[in-house]
């Protein structure tokens, strides 16, 4: 409905609106009207009440002093009934909420078996078995999909939190390339790292930064032909106190029209996906979101189809940290027997002394008796909440208190709540050896 008011003063109009609005909406409506009272056009949404006491959502597109807009001499605008739109928005929001809840439950249920498989796969890595290599590749692929799905949801809702520490970038890249060695060997591809002799240190969340480069390396290998080469170059710039990592491939390249959108969620180059049907189209969106959370930037380059592509990640440099001691007395608190056994075997292979507790109460007893200097603690225990166990260990421990590392199948943890419970670090299942080592030695 279009309308024009013959009120002697535009300032009389707000009072008429306030009288028509639902009482609970009048404060917000009054605030919005103050901005319009000076003649600025705008849109106001409120619930209007009719003579029978029923209310409906109304949107007003309004110009209070309209002489410069048209020949209508006085306040004028358009009123629309948006009850249907509001109902649709609520339905979409509810659908989105249910989708997020489903994804959260799904990822939680997937992470615990993946943790068992990841630990077993890491323990079998030196066996040289072809079957072990297949398991390693598929566990990495499943872990990457679960991580990307959870990360994209957190980034979309601005719930992603970083656990920052000093990270050796060259070492992290070597581990990331090592994780992809089996996959590259199966494709007869060559992975090459060109890095300076001195380590480049960055302030980062090692798990999230590993995810960034795993995604870039996986894409480079996936879109390259057999016998292709993927080259990773690390170039520190002392003048700007930054380091740039370039991931270059000789693969199918990126079309010019797709280059500007490769970092968008679910964006996929049609020519590329016609040849390689794998992935969800969220990996590069996650890369950009995580790099920006670290205060860095990422750009993509390609001369077009058939020319390969280059992705450059630039991060701020920090000073090198002091070295940490290697061996630890570690208590693993985990109710899943396969996960606990896998973690124990993996950590003992690294030279640590490891004890296992299957529930919260036995963890408190074991901690008081064995006095570990590190505790890896599952948050979802059968008898006690992991946060309660952490507080109990802190209270009963002699100084120096043990380092507490949370291990959770939930992809969403509040760092402040974790610190309040006494945790020094948080890991999301499935955690690999590199992530465990970084958390233990940080």
């Amino acid at each position: 409905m279009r309308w024009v008011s013959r009120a002697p003063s535009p300032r009389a109009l707000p009072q008429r609106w306030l009288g028509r609005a639902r009482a609970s909406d009048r404060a917000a409506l009054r605030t919005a009207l103050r901005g319009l009272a000076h003649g600025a056009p705008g849109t106001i949404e409120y619930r209007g009440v009719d003579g029978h006491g029923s209310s409906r959502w109304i949107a007003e597109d309004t110009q209070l002093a309209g002489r410069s807009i048209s020949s209508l001499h006085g306040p004028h605008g358009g009123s629309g009934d948006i009850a249907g739109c509001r109902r649709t928005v609520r339905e979409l929001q509810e659908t989105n909420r249910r989708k997020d809840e489903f994804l959260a439950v799904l990822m939680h249920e997937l992470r615990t078996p993946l943790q068992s498989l990841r630990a077993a796969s890491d323990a079998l890595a030196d066996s040289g078995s072809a079957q072990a290599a297949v398991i390693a590749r598929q566990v990495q692929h499943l872990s990457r999909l679960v991580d990307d799905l959870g990360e994209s949801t957190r980034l979309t809702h601005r719930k992603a939190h970083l656990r920052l520490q000093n990270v050796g970038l060259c070492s992290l890249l070597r581990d990331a390339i090592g994780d992809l060695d089996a996959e590259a060997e199966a494709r007869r591809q060559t992975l090459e790292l060109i890095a300076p002799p001195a380590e480049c240190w960055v302030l980062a969340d090692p798990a999230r930064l590993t995810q960034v480069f795993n995604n870039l390396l996986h894409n480079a290998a996936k879109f390259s032909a057999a016998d292709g080469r993927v080259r990773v170059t690390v170039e520190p710039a002392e003048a700007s106190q930054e380091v740039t990592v370039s991931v270059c491939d000789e693969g199918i390249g990126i079309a010019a029209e797709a280059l500007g959108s490769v970092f968008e969620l679910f964006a996929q180059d049609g020519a590329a996906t016609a040849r390689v049907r794998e992935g969800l189209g969220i990996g590069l969106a996650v890369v950009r979101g995580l790099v920006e959370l670290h205060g860095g930037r990422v750009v993509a380059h390609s001369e077009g189809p058939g020319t390969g592509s280059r992705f450059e990640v630039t991060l701020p440099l920090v000073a090198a940290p002091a070295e940490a001691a290697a061996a630890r007395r570690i208590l693993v608190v985990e109710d899943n027997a396969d996960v606990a056994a896998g973690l124990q075997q993996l950590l003992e292979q690294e030279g640590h002394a490891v004890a296992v507790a299957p529930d919260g109460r036995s963890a408190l007893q074991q901690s008081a008796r064995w006095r570990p200097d590190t505790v890896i603690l599952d948050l979802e225990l059968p008898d006690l909440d992991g946060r309660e166990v952490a507080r109990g260990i802190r209270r009963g421990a002699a100084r120096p208190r043990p380092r507490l590392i949370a291990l959770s199948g939930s992809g969403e943890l509040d760092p402040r709540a974790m610190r309040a419970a006494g945790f020094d670090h948080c890991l999301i299942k499935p955690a690999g050896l590199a992530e465990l080592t970084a958390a233990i030695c940080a």
Side-chain angles (χ1 to χ4, degrees), residues 114 117-118 121 131-146 179 182-183 186-187 218 278:
L114 275 174
L117 292 171
R118 180 74 180 269
S121 174
Q131 290 81 1
V134 171
I135 293 171
R137 287 198 301 272
Q138 297 309 315
V139 168
Q140 287 168 12
H141 181 59
L142 286 172
S143 299
R144 189 181 300 114
L145 289 177
V146 171
D179 288 343
E183 184 177 334
R187 296 179 176 181
H218 178 72
E278 179 186 322

mmCIF file of all heavy atoms in Angstrom, residues 114 117-118 121 131-146 179 182-183 186-187 218 278:
data_model
loop_
_atom_site.group_PDB
_atom_site.id
_atom_site.type_symbol
_atom_site.label_atom_id
_atom_site.label_comp_id
_atom_site.label_asym_id
_atom_site.label_seq_id
_atom_site.Cartn_x
_atom_site.Cartn_y
_atom_site.Cartn_z
ATOM 1 N N LEU A 114 37.406 -42.426 14.187
ATOM 2 C CA LEU A 114 38.535 -41.920 13.404
ATOM 3 C C LEU A 114 39.792 -41.790 14.258
ATOM 4 O O LEU A 114 40.911 -41.996 13.766
ATOM 5 C CB LEU A 114 38.184 -40.567 12.788
ATOM 6 C CG LEU A 114 37.433 -40.606 11.454
ATOM 7 C CD1 LEU A 114 37.015 -39.207 11.040
ATOM 8 C CD2 LEU A 114 38.286 -41.240 10.371
ATOM 9 N N LEU A 117 41.340 -45.220 14.427
ATOM 10 C CA LEU A 117 41.963 -45.544 13.148
ATOM 11 C C LEU A 117 43.220 -44.722 12.914
ATOM 12 O O LEU A 117 44.220 -45.227 12.387
ATOM 13 C CB LEU A 117 40.961 -45.307 12.011
ATOM 14 C CG LEU A 117 39.756 -46.247 11.950
ATOM 15 C CD1 LEU A 117 38.751 -45.762 10.923
ATOM 16 C CD2 LEU A 117 40.218 -47.665 11.619
ATOM 17 N N ARG A 118 43.180 -43.439 13.329
ATOM 18 C CA ARG A 118 44.342 -42.573 13.117
ATOM 19 C C ARG A 118 45.539 -43.051 13.948
ATOM 20 O O ARG A 118 46.668 -43.126 13.447
ATOM 21 C CB ARG A 118 43.973 -41.133 13.509
ATOM 22 C CG ARG A 118 45.082 -40.100 13.336
ATOM 23 C CD ARG A 118 45.309 -39.760 11.887
ATOM 24 N NE ARG A 118 46.358 -38.775 11.728
ATOM 25 C CZ ARG A 118 46.150 -37.452 11.692
ATOM 26 N NH1 ARG A 118 44.927 -36.974 11.801
ATOM 27 N NH2 ARG A 118 47.153 -36.625 11.518
ATOM 28 N N SER A 121 46.808 -46.292 12.466
ATOM 29 C CA SER A 121 47.474 -46.008 11.195
ATOM 30 C C SER A 121 48.862 -45.429 11.420
ATOM 31 O O SER A 121 49.829 -45.828 10.769
ATOM 32 C CB SER A 121 46.622 -45.049 10.369
ATOM 33 O OG SER A 121 47.291 -44.653 9.201
ATOM 34 N N GLN A 131 48.628 -52.564 2.743
ATOM 35 C CA GLN A 131 47.334 -52.363 3.402
ATOM 36 C C GLN A 131 47.391 -51.196 4.388
ATOM 37 O O GLN A 131 46.426 -50.425 4.505
ATOM 38 C CB GLN A 131 46.902 -53.644 4.133
ATOM 39 C CG GLN A 131 46.512 -54.799 3.221
ATOM 40 C CD GLN A 131 47.716 -55.561 2.698
ATOM 41 O OE1 GLN A 131 48.855 -55.238 3.042
ATOM 42 N NE2 GLN A 131 47.470 -56.575 1.869
ATOM 43 N N ALA A 132 48.519 -51.062 5.097
ATOM 44 C CA ALA A 132 48.664 -49.940 6.026
ATOM 45 C C ALA A 132 48.643 -48.615 5.273
ATOM 46 O O ALA A 132 48.084 -47.625 5.759
ATOM 47 C CB ALA A 132 49.964 -50.078 6.812
ATOM 48 N N ALA A 133 49.234 -48.590 4.071
ATOM 49 C CA ALA A 133 49.234 -47.364 3.275
ATOM 50 C C ALA A 133 47.824 -47.002 2.824
ATOM 51 O O ALA A 133 47.438 -45.828 2.814
ATOM 52 C CB ALA A 133 50.150 -47.526 2.060
ATOM 53 N N VAL A 134 47.038 -48.008 2.457
ATOM 54 C CA VAL A 134 45.642 -47.757 2.061
ATOM 55 C C VAL A 134 44.855 -47.195 3.234
ATOM 56 O O VAL A 134 44.099 -46.215 3.095
ATOM 57 C CB VAL A 134 44.983 -49.061 1.549
ATOM 58 C CG1 VAL A 134 43.480 -48.855 1.351
ATOM 59 C CG2 VAL A 134 45.621 -49.500 0.245
ATOM 60 N N ILE A 135 45.027 -47.810 4.411
ATOM 61 C CA ILE A 135 44.335 -47.324 5.610
ATOM 62 C C ILE A 135 44.723 -45.880 5.894
ATOM 63 O O ILE A 135 43.862 -45.032 6.179
ATOM 64 C CB ILE A 135 44.661 -48.223 6.824
ATOM 65 C CG1 ILE A 135 44.066 -49.614 6.625
ATOM 66 C CG2 ILE A 135 44.136 -47.598 8.116
ATOM 67 C CD1 ILE A 135 44.516 -50.625 7.665
ATOM 68 N N ALA A 136 46.021 -45.580 5.807
ATOM 69 C CA ALA A 136 46.487 -44.217 6.086
ATOM 70 C C ALA A 136 45.857 -43.210 5.139
ATOM 71 O O ALA A 136 45.392 -42.138 5.558
ATOM 72 C CB ALA A 136 48.010 -44.160 5.980
ATOM 73 N N ARG A 137 45.803 -43.544 3.845
ATOM 74 C CA ARG A 137 45.228 -42.607 2.865
ATOM 75 C C ARG A 137 43.744 -42.364 3.131
ATOM 76 O O ARG A 137 43.271 -41.225 3.091
ATOM 77 C CB ARG A 137 45.420 -43.149 1.448
ATOM 78 C CG ARG A 137 46.841 -43.072 0.925
ATOM 79 C CD ARG A 137 46.869 -43.201 -0.585
ATOM 80 N NE ARG A 137 46.297 -44.456 -1.049
ATOM 81 C CZ ARG A 137 46.974 -45.584 -1.186
ATOM 82 N NH1 ARG A 137 48.255 -45.628 -0.864
ATOM 83 N NH2 ARG A 137 46.382 -46.678 -1.644
ATOM 84 N N GLN A 138 43.009 -43.430 3.406
ATOM 85 C CA GLN A 138 41.569 -43.277 3.592
ATOM 86 C C GLN A 138 41.229 -42.587 4.914
ATOM 87 O O GLN A 138 40.269 -41.813 4.989
ATOM 88 C CB GLN A 138 40.881 -44.643 3.507
ATOM 89 C CG GLN A 138 41.033 -45.316 2.161
ATOM 90 C CD GLN A 138 40.656 -44.410 0.999
ATOM 91 O OE1 GLN A 138 39.638 -43.723 1.037
ATOM 92 N NE2 GLN A 138 41.496 -44.378 -0.030
ATOM 93 N N VAL A 139 42.009 -42.859 5.965
ATOM 94 C CA VAL A 139 41.801 -42.153 7.230
ATOM 95 C C VAL A 139 42.068 -40.654 7.043
ATOM 96 O O VAL A 139 41.316 -39.808 7.546
ATOM 97 C CB VAL A 139 42.705 -42.732 8.336
ATOM 98 C CG1 VAL A 139 42.718 -41.823 9.563
ATOM 99 C CG2 VAL A 139 42.221 -44.116 8.733
ATOM 100 N N GLN A 140 43.122 -40.327 6.317
ATOM 101 C CA GLN A 140 43.418 -38.916 6.054
ATOM 102 C C GLN A 140 42.282 -38.264 5.271
ATOM 103 O O GLN A 140 41.890 -37.124 5.553
ATOM 104 C CB GLN A 140 44.729 -38.788 5.283
ATOM 105 C CG GLN A 140 45.968 -39.064 6.120
ATOM 106 C CD GLN A 140 47.205 -39.221 5.266
ATOM 107 O OE1 GLN A 140 47.191 -38.922 4.083
ATOM 108 N NE2 GLN A 140 48.277 -39.711 5.870
ATOM 109 N N HIS A 141 41.768 -38.976 4.284
ATOM 110 C CA HIS A 141 40.691 -38.413 3.471
ATOM 111 C C HIS A 141 39.435 -38.175 4.305
ATOM 112 O O HIS A 141 38.830 -37.099 4.251
ATOM 113 C CB HIS A 141 40.387 -39.359 2.308
ATOM 114 C CG HIS A 141 39.304 -38.873 1.397
ATOM 115 N ND1 HIS A 141 39.389 -37.669 0.719
ATOM 116 C CD2 HIS A 141 38.105 -39.401 1.065
ATOM 117 C CE1 HIS A 141 38.295 -37.497 0.006
ATOM 118 N NE2 HIS A 141 37.493 -38.525 0.203
ATOM 119 N N LEU A 142 39.044 -39.180 5.106
ATOM 120 C CA LEU A 142 37.865 -39.023 5.956
ATOM 121 C C LEU A 142 38.069 -37.915 6.991
ATOM 122 O O LEU A 142 37.157 -37.116 7.252
ATOM 123 C CB LEU A 142 37.554 -40.343 6.667
ATOM 124 C CG LEU A 142 36.935 -41.451 5.804
ATOM 125 C CD1 LEU A 142 36.864 -42.750 6.589
ATOM 126 C CD2 LEU A 142 35.555 -41.042 5.326
ATOM 127 N N SER A 143 39.254 -37.865 7.586
ATOM 128 C CA SER A 143 39.544 -36.833 8.584
ATOM 129 C C SER A 143 39.460 -35.450 7.955
ATOM 130 O O SER A 143 38.937 -34.501 8.565
ATOM 131 C CB SER A 143 40.934 -37.047 9.184
ATOM 132 O OG SER A 143 41.016 -38.289 9.841
ATOM 133 N N ARG A 144 39.989 -35.325 6.741
ATOM 134 C CA ARG A 144 39.962 -34.031 6.063
ATOM 135 C C ARG A 144 38.521 -33.579 5.792
ATOM 136 O O ARG A 144 38.166 -32.421 5.996
ATOM 137 C CB ARG A 144 40.741 -34.123 4.756
ATOM 138 C CG ARG A 144 40.963 -32.795 4.054
ATOM 139 C CD ARG A 144 41.713 -32.974 2.746
ATOM 140 N NE ARG A 144 43.013 -33.573 2.956
ATOM 141 C CZ ARG A 144 43.365 -34.781 2.526
ATOM 142 N NH1 ARG A 144 42.497 -35.521 1.869
ATOM 143 N NH2 ARG A 144 44.572 -35.251 2.759
ATOM 144 N N LEU A 145 37.676 -34.514 5.348
ATOM 145 C CA LEU A 145 36.279 -34.163 5.078
ATOM 146 C C LEU A 145 35.552 -33.737 6.354
ATOM 147 O O LEU A 145 34.818 -32.744 6.367
ATOM 148 C CB LEU A 145 35.557 -35.356 4.445
ATOM 149 C CG LEU A 145 35.948 -35.714 3.012
ATOM 150 C CD1 LEU A 145 35.203 -36.958 2.562
ATOM 151 C CD2 LEU A 145 35.663 -34.563 2.062
ATOM 152 N N VAL A 146 35.757 -34.502 7.436
ATOM 153 C CA VAL A 146 35.099 -34.164 8.704
ATOM 154 C C VAL A 146 35.604 -32.817 9.225
ATOM 155 O O VAL A 146 34.822 -31.970 9.669
ATOM 156 C CB VAL A 146 35.330 -35.276 9.743
ATOM 157 C CG1 VAL A 146 34.836 -34.846 11.113
ATOM 158 C CG2 VAL A 146 34.619 -36.547 9.314
ATOM 159 N N ASP A 179 52.432 -36.656 5.380
ATOM 160 C CA ASP A 179 51.081 -37.225 5.454
ATOM 161 C C ASP A 179 50.539 -37.578 4.076
ATOM 162 O O ASP A 179 49.697 -38.468 3.934
ATOM 163 C CB ASP A 179 50.128 -36.233 6.130
ATOM 164 C CG ASP A 179 50.383 -36.102 7.622
ATOM 165 O OD1 ASP A 179 51.049 -36.998 8.178
ATOM 166 O OD2 ASP A 179 49.937 -35.104 8.215
ATOM 167 N N ALA A 182 52.042 -41.213 0.908
ATOM 168 C CA ALA A 182 51.434 -42.464 0.436
ATOM 169 C C ALA A 182 50.484 -42.197 -0.726
ATOM 170 O O ALA A 182 50.465 -42.923 -1.722
ATOM 171 C CB ALA A 182 50.701 -43.156 1.586
ATOM 172 N N GLU A 183 49.680 -41.128 -0.595
ATOM 173 C CA GLU A 183 48.747 -40.777 -1.658
ATOM 174 C C GLU A 183 49.498 -40.384 -2.930
ATOM 175 O O GLU A 183 49.132 -40.785 -4.042
ATOM 176 C CB GLU A 183 47.863 -39.621 -1.182
ATOM 177 C CG GLU A 183 46.785 -39.203 -2.154
ATOM 178 C CD GLU A 183 45.901 -38.116 -1.586
ATOM 179 O OE1 GLU A 183 45.795 -38.034 -0.350
ATOM 180 O OE2 GLU A 183 45.331 -37.349 -2.374
ATOM 181 N N ALA A 186 51.008 -43.437 -4.625
ATOM 182 C CA ALA A 186 50.005 -44.205 -5.364
ATOM 183 C C ALA A 186 49.717 -43.574 -6.718
ATOM 184 O O ALA A 186 49.373 -44.273 -7.683
ATOM 185 C CB ALA A 186 48.722 -44.303 -4.536
ATOM 186 N N ARG A 187 49.847 -42.247 -6.809
ATOM 187 C CA ARG A 187 49.611 -41.545 -8.077
ATOM 188 C C ARG A 187 50.897 -41.299 -8.860
ATOM 189 O O ARG A 187 50.874 -40.625 -9.879
ATOM 190 C CB ARG A 187 48.926 -40.202 -7.792
ATOM 191 C CG ARG A 187 47.543 -40.337 -7.175
ATOM 192 C CD ARG A 187 46.937 -38.975 -6.901
ATOM 193 N NE ARG A 187 45.581 -39.096 -6.390
ATOM 194 C CZ ARG A 187 44.800 -38.058 -6.071
ATOM 195 N NH1 ARG A 187 45.265 -36.837 -6.214
ATOM 196 N NH2 ARG A 187 43.587 -38.261 -5.608
ATOM 197 N N HIS A 218 46.528 -31.482 -0.933
ATOM 198 C CA HIS A 218 45.594 -32.480 -1.452
ATOM 199 C C HIS A 218 45.000 -32.012 -2.783
ATOM 200 O O HIS A 218 44.895 -32.788 -3.739
ATOM 201 C CB HIS A 218 44.491 -32.734 -0.429
ATOM 202 C CG HIS A 218 43.456 -33.713 -0.893
ATOM 203 N ND1 HIS A 218 43.683 -35.060 -1.004
ATOM 204 C CD2 HIS A 218 42.173 -33.514 -1.308
ATOM 205 C CE1 HIS A 218 42.603 -35.666 -1.447
ATOM 206 N NE2 HIS A 218 41.672 -34.756 -1.638
ATOM 207 N N GLU A 278 35.495 -35.348 -6.714
ATOM 208 C CA GLU A 278 35.868 -35.705 -5.343
ATOM 209 C C GLU A 278 35.863 -34.433 -4.519
ATOM 210 O O GLU A 278 36.347 -33.396 -4.956
ATOM 211 C CB GLU A 278 37.262 -36.328 -5.330
ATOM 212 C CG GLU A 278 37.752 -36.715 -3.963
ATOM 213 C CD GLU A 278 39.200 -37.195 -3.995
ATOM 214 O OE1 GLU A 278 39.577 -37.870 -4.951
ATOM 215 O OE2 GLU A 278 39.938 -36.862 -3.053
#
